[in-house]
Amino acid sequence: MRVSGLSSGIDYESIITKMMDAQRVPVDRLKQQQQLLEWKRDDYRALNSKILEFKNLSFDMKLPSVYGSKKATSSDENSVAATGSSTSGVGQYSIEVKKLAKAASFNTGQLGATTGGTTKLSDIGWDLGDDEVATIEINGAASSVTITKDTTINDLVSAINKKSTTSGVKVTYDATMDRMFFNSTKVGANSEIKLEIKNADGAAASQDLTNLLKMTGGTADGVMSSGAVTPTTGGFSVKGVNAEVVFNGGITQQYESNTFTIAGINFTAKNETTGAVQINVSQDIDSVVDKIKNYVEKYNALIDEVNKETSEKVQRNYKPLTDAQREEMSDEDIKRWEEKARSGMLSRDSLLNDGLTKFRRAFSDTVGGLPADQLKTLSEIGISSTNIVGSSISGSYLDKGKLYIDEDKLRKAITENPDQVAALFTKDDAATSGDGVAVKLYDQASALVKQITDKAGTVGSADSSHLIGKDNQRLSEQIALLEIRMIEMENRYYKQFTAMENYINKMNSQGSWLSQQL
């Protein structure tokens, strides 16, 4: 704490503060430059994330599978569902489901539990004899669970389910039905539930697990399983069932799942059929049209955003606020001021304008290297910066490259020449002039993303890794040096005024002594 003017009566604290305010002007200017750099960096990054999204979409649009979409319809969706893919052949097919794939499963007979899940195993016939301890192996020793004379049905269910990731078997107990339900987590003939009971010494128990589960001889009233119950020493096993289908009337095939692919068509079998289900595969015109429309819409949204940033007016009368100015303003006033101060950060930016120019050319240029009688420009399929439909005209130079689609013309081109439409987007040639539109745009967007990243970095990147960050570091160093000098200057001012106070204090003392002597 400093107390000023005790001897001189001068408030030199205020004088020094005002003197330092004048000295702070260069620091404030550097901080304003730093703030402008940070705003510019943030605006670059925001645009770069949108360009990156467009780049990723361009990657998808340069894949031939996008333009070869097929749709499949089933004459009996309740029994067999079908979806097409780019590799599906257009035409008529038939499929008959003889069997559905099933996971290995079975349920026990009634266990005779008197108190539901809390009934002990020993009370329903699981006599462990003198051993008092036994294990039940579920698909191998690695998933064995221990049982004792005090183990309840709920204990057994919990123990088995804890080992389900190893055994691939889960079980539930329904007290109302008084039955246990076992299910494999896998499907098909390779799925299996194998249970064996062993004594404490590891030898097969003399008891038959099928009897203990009220499955005498492997069959009993109300017992159901996915397949035949095969007795083993001290236990039994049950296997799942493969799906069995007949394709096109003469090809029989089995699958481990009810979802499978034949001839590029994806099938989902839901029910067994008594006859053939007809499958019709045709080109999915709507899907291709929607994807191209979405691509054009994303492009239009991107160039709108970039054009907005590059054409935004710079408000030169609004500088970033200093700390002192912020203290005198309300939060709402600060917000309104900074909206104007940070406008036009990317105004007339050459990097962005050059990138947009390349994007526009990619959409308008001819795709080289194609046969003479083939489609070569997007305008031939109804995509251009000017769209004329009857007496209606859309698009002008004022739209700055925005594209319009004649959907009828596009749909007609995809219907009649799907391969040619695909080539316009996907052709990948050694010469850049021979690349398709999506290929060119992917390459150009990739280059632009890298250029912006080199200039403004990404969220979390070090300042030393990009140009704006390096400028920001340089300004920080200059600000730090100036602030050190200001501290030294302020201390020097205080020392000078303190020295003055000491001299005045001495003079006052001498004056008082002289007055007393006189």
Side-chain angles (χ1 to χ4, degrees):
M1 291 180 64
R2 294 186 175 106
V3 180
S4 63
L6 291 178
S7 298
S8 65
I10 300 172
D11 183 8
Y12 62 81
E13 181 84 26
S14 299
I15 295 173
I16 294 175
T17 299
K18 292 179 180 178
M19 292 169 67
M20 295 310 300
D21 286 342
Q23 297 296 329
R24 186 170 294 279
V25 171
V27 176
D28 287 339
R29 286 176 180 168
L30 289 177
K31 286 186 176 181
Q32 287 175 326
Q33 291 179 35
Q34 197 171 43
Q35 181 65 78
L36 291 172
L37 276 178
E38 290 173 357
W39 283 340
K40 189 172 187 176
R41 176 202 63 194
D42 293 344
D43 287 352
Y44 265 131
R45 289 179 179 178
L47 272 185
N48 209 22
S49 65
K50 294 176 182 179
I51 297 170
L52 179 61
E53 290 177 8
F54 183 72
K55 168 197 164 183
N56 294 335
L57 181 58
S58 296
F59 178 83
D60 294 338
M61 293 299 292
K62 71 176 188 172
L63 301 176
S65 58
V66 170
Y67 309 91
S69 298
K70 308 292 192 308
K71 61 180 178 181
T73 56
S74 170
S75 62
D76 186 358
E77 289 283 347
N78 293 326
S79 298
V80 183
T83 58
S85 68
S86 60
T87 59
S88 304
V90 174
Q92 295 283 340
Y93 304 87
S94 68
I95 187 168
E96 184 178 357
V97 181
K98 293 288 189 180
K99 293 180 183 178
L100 288 174
K102 297 178 182 177
S105 64
F106 73 91
N107 64 263
T108 70
Q110 289 187 324
L111 301 178
T114 55
T115 57
T118 59
T119 303
K120 294 181 180 180
L121 300 182
S122 56
D123 293 337
I124 59 173
W126 292 50
D127 184 8
L128 298 177
D130 296 331
D131 289 324
E132 294 187 352
V133 176
T135 60
I136 297 179
E137 291 185 0
I138 306 100
N139 286 352
S143 302
S144 62
V145 298
T146 302
I147 58 174
T148 68
K149 62 182 181 180
D150 294 324
T151 301
T152 66
I153 294 175
N154 286 342
D155 292 338
L156 178 63
V157 169
S158 177
I160 292 175
N161 287 337
K162 285 180 180 178
K163 296 291 184 73
S164 63
T165 54
T166 306
S167 66
V169 176
K170 289 192 173 183
V171 62
T172 57
Y173 171 72
D174 187 284
T176 305
M177 297 183 179
D178 190 27
R179 299 174 190 270
M180 296 175 72
F181 296 84
F182 291 78
N183 284 281
S184 170
T185 55
K186 296 180 180 179
V187 181
N190 287 332
S191 67
E192 182 179 14
I193 300 175
K194 185 178 181 180
L195 302 183
E196 291 183 305
I197 186 170
K198 294 186 177 181
N199 295 326
D201 58 5
S206 58
Q207 303 176 75
D208 188 346
L209 193 59
T210 57
N211 292 332
L212 296 178
L213 294 178
K214 313 303 180 185
M215 298 174 64
T216 305
T219 60
D221 240 7
V223 174
M224 296 186 66
S225 63
S226 56
V229 179
T230 305
T232 63
T233 304
F236 61 89
S237 70
V238 178
K239 288 193 173 184
V241 179
N242 279 342
E244 183 178 319
V245 301
V246 179
F247 187 69
N248 275 0
I251 306 171
T252 302
Q253 185 65 40
Q254 291 190 357
Y255 298 94
E256 291 186 358
S257 170
N258 289 316
T259 300
F260 47 88
T261 301
I262 304 176
I265 307 170
N266 303 312
F267 292 98
T268 300
K270 301 177 181 179
N271 290 298
E272 294 177 0
T273 62
T274 56
V277 176
Q278 301 303 312
I279 306 296
N280 180 54
V281 178
S282 59
Q283 189 175 4
D284 193 353
I285 305 297
D286 291 337
S287 174
V288 180
V289 169
D290 289 344
K291 288 174 182 176
I292 292 176
K293 286 174 62 179
N294 177 65
Y295 189 43
V296 171
E297 287 169 2
K298 294 293 185 183
Y299 168 76
N300 285 339
L302 175 62
I303 66 169
D304 280 347
E305 190 68 27
V306 176
N307 283 327
K308 175 185 174 184
E309 292 288 342
T310 56
S311 61
E312 191 173 41
K313 184 179 179 181
V314 180
Q315 301 284 349
R316 302 191 185 279
N317 293 328
Y318 291 85
K319 303 291 184 183
L321 295 170
T322 64
D323 293 338
Q325 289 170 332
R326 286 174 175 274
E327 291 177 0
E328 298 174 357
M329 298 172 66
S330 66
D331 291 341
E332 190 62 32
D333 289 338
I334 292 173
K335 181 181 177 182
R336 285 197 295 265
W337 183 281
E338 290 191 339
E339 284 177 356
K340 293 182 179 295
R342 71 177 299 171
S343 66
M345 289 292 100
L346 303 178
S347 179
R348 299 181 181 180
D349 186 85
S350 59
L351 181 60
L352 295 173
N353 283 331
D354 183 57
L356 277 193
T357 300
K358 291 178 179 178
F359 284 1
R360 295 188 191 104
R361 286 177 180 170
F363 273 106
S364 60
D365 284 353
T366 299
V367 178
L370 295 173
D373 59 345
Q374 191 164 322
L375 299 169
K376 295 182 180 61
T377 64
L378 292 186
S379 60
E380 294 178 86
I381 63 172
I383 303 174
S384 66
S385 57
T386 304
N387 187 22
I388 303 175
V389 179
S391 58
S392 176
I393 301 176
S394 302
S396 71
Y397 74 94
L398 295 175
D399 292 329
K400 297 182 178 180
K402 184 176 180 180
L403 295 174
Y404 294 87
I405 298 177
D406 183 340
E407 188 172 336
D408 292 337
K409 191 174 182 179
L410 174 61
R411 190 176 293 275
K412 184 174 183 292
I414 295 172
T415 303
E416 296 177 353
N417 301 295
D419 293 338
Q420 293 185 29
V421 172
L424 284 176
F425 288 90
T426 64
K427 186 173 180 292
D428 196 347
D429 197 77
T432 306
S433 60
D435 286 339
V437 173
V439 176
K440 287 181 183 177
L441 286 168
Y442 174 78
D443 292 341
Q444 290 165 3
S446 298
L448 185 55
V449 166
K450 184 180 184 305
Q451 289 174 321
I452 295 176
T453 302
D454 290 343
K455 189 166 186 177
T458 58
V459 176
S461 62
D463 282 347
S464 58
S465 65
H466 54 92
L467 294 176
I468 291 180
K470 291 175 182 177
D471 288 342
N472 199 8
Q473 282 183 324
R474 177 178 52 79
L475 289 174
S476 295
E477 291 169 359
Q478 292 178 7
I479 291 170
L481 287 173
L482 284 176
E483 287 182 336
I484 291 173
R485 291 176 186 172
M486 287 179 61
I487 292 172
E488 293 173 347
M489 185 180 296
E490 186 179 37
N491 289 335
R492 186 171 69 251
Y493 285 150
Y494 273 108
K495 287 180 181 178
Q496 291 171 344
F497 275 100
T498 301
M500 181 191 73
E501 288 284 322
N502 289 332
Y503 289 132
I504 292 175
N505 187 40
K506 288 181 180 178
M507 291 175 65
N508 288 339
S509 297
Q510 291 176 356
S512 297
W513 179 79
L514 288 173
S515 296
Q516 291 174 359
Q517 296 301 314
L518 293 172

